[in-house]
Amino acid sequence: MKLTAILSFALAAATISCAAALQARTGRPDRYYVAEDGDDAAKGSLRRPFRTITRALQQAGAGDTVFVRGGTYREQVAFPASGRADARIVLMACRGERVVISGEGLDVEGRTDMLLIRGRSHITVEGFEITGLQTSEAGREANGIVVEAGSTDITLRGNHIHSIRNTAPRYTYPSAHAILVIGNTEQAVGRIAVVDNRIHDCVTGTSEAVTVNGHVDGFRIENNEIFRCSNIAIDAAGGYAANRKPELNYARNGVIRCNTIYDIDNELGQLKGNCGAIAIYADGARDIVIERNRIHRCDRGIGIVSETDAYPTVGCIVRNNIVTACRRTGIYMGGYLDYTGGGTERCAIVNNTLADNNLVRGAFGETEGELRLTENCRDNTVANNIVCTSSADDLFVHKYTATGSSNRFERNLYSGPAGWLWQQRDGESLRSLEAWREASGGDADAVYIARPVFGSEPQLDSDFTPAGEAAAEGILLDGGLNGEKDFAGNPRTDRGTVAIGALQPRKQPHR
């Protein structure tokens, strides 16, 4: 085949690929193209593409799609216009082509963002690799993608974000984010979807890989893979001066679902030595659902806590998650000991499976516990969880202090050689289910199995499907607290019953 024919064929194939993707997304033919060998003085067509993403976005209006061909683009990108509800602006990497937005060598001054959506709406960003933005200077902030200032209906899908790093000294409170969604105006940021992204190898300082902070009302963080990052993988936050109005200054009405998170470790960043990194964190947030996530080998698993006195975490649901092999606690709630009094109120920890966490002692030399309650836990429900241990040094539940009230424990299954600790930081644990019931005033229908119900090193999520005595029936909770689906995506109930734990074994038909 002649070279000209080969080039024509390749061009036609690219046209088909990009056009097909466009029709699937928008149903419109309007489009602009960007390529490494393009020219910003060109028309932005497939045959005469622009050179920069910035130039293409300057041309794009509601309903238009900007396709970016494979290559590395060393530019900061900002959206100058919004789409419409019926005609989005789509910025998309061409399918099958590696498109990198690189911050390598870029000076980080103040807050520096690789891709910014500020006060814009009805936008999709899909398929980009964003990487290489790094600083070691105090007072700087390095970010991959930022959404702020009342932006609405934003989708960040299928992006690969890595090596965003702030390595400034710990005492300077360094900050970096792979994705930052910040509600810093009176108009809420809302209808945010962060889905199907891959995020890894970020050093976030005292910040987080994915952060939703301030006046953010309505978001979905779903099906992302996050690994090898420091401090916190996903954080829904309130009380950190993101918004000047205190009554607006917290994230709310969000879902954190079906994410796979592992190796979140403070040894990877400035906070070495405290094992305080966390997979999923709701801190001063309200009405957040955290469900069907797989968490493994992090410092801590899931926290619904408060670090600020005026912003308790309220109305959050943690359900149908599997949390294993974390260095400290699996799931925890409450204000921090000797630090804050905000606490956790009217939240639920329901139908989760926890196994073999607490591999490292806590900050006071104590065992934190598979389930941990610290200061000011009020009116919370802990029900239908499987808590499996393989060490006598572990704790099924650890309630540290006498603060808080009206916390309900019901129908949990405890397995293995651990004990319980009630209203003390350390000391002799309770070694029998009867002693636990008497101390806590709950768990009247709990199940205790002395042997670990799971294998010593479960390899697959299916290994956590309970069998035999462990396949116990839980309780159906009011208000749909159990959820519609179990961890695996199957119906949460079977013939009107719900099982204990994150997975719902299917009943065998009668013969």
Side-chain angles (χ1 to χ4, degrees), residues 8 11 43 104 178 188 214 229 233 237-238 326 340 345 392 405 419 477 479:
S8 297
L11 188 61
K43 295 181 178 180
E104 186 176 356
C229 294
C326 290
T340 61
E345 301 175 4
S405 62
L477 296 162

Side-chain angles (χ1 to χ4, degrees), residues 212-230:
V212 181
N213 188 13
H215 194 198
V216 181
D217 191 347
F219 62 90
R220 180 167 58 97
I221 302 173
E222 189 169 2
N223 288 325
N224 303 284
E225 182 185 14
I226 307 176
F227 60 98
R228 286 201 308 267
C229 294
S230 65

Side-chain angles (χ1 to χ4, degrees), residues 158-169:
N159 300 290
H160 177 197
I161 307 173
H162 63 99
S163 305
I164 307 296
R165 304 166 70 88
N166 188 333
T167 57

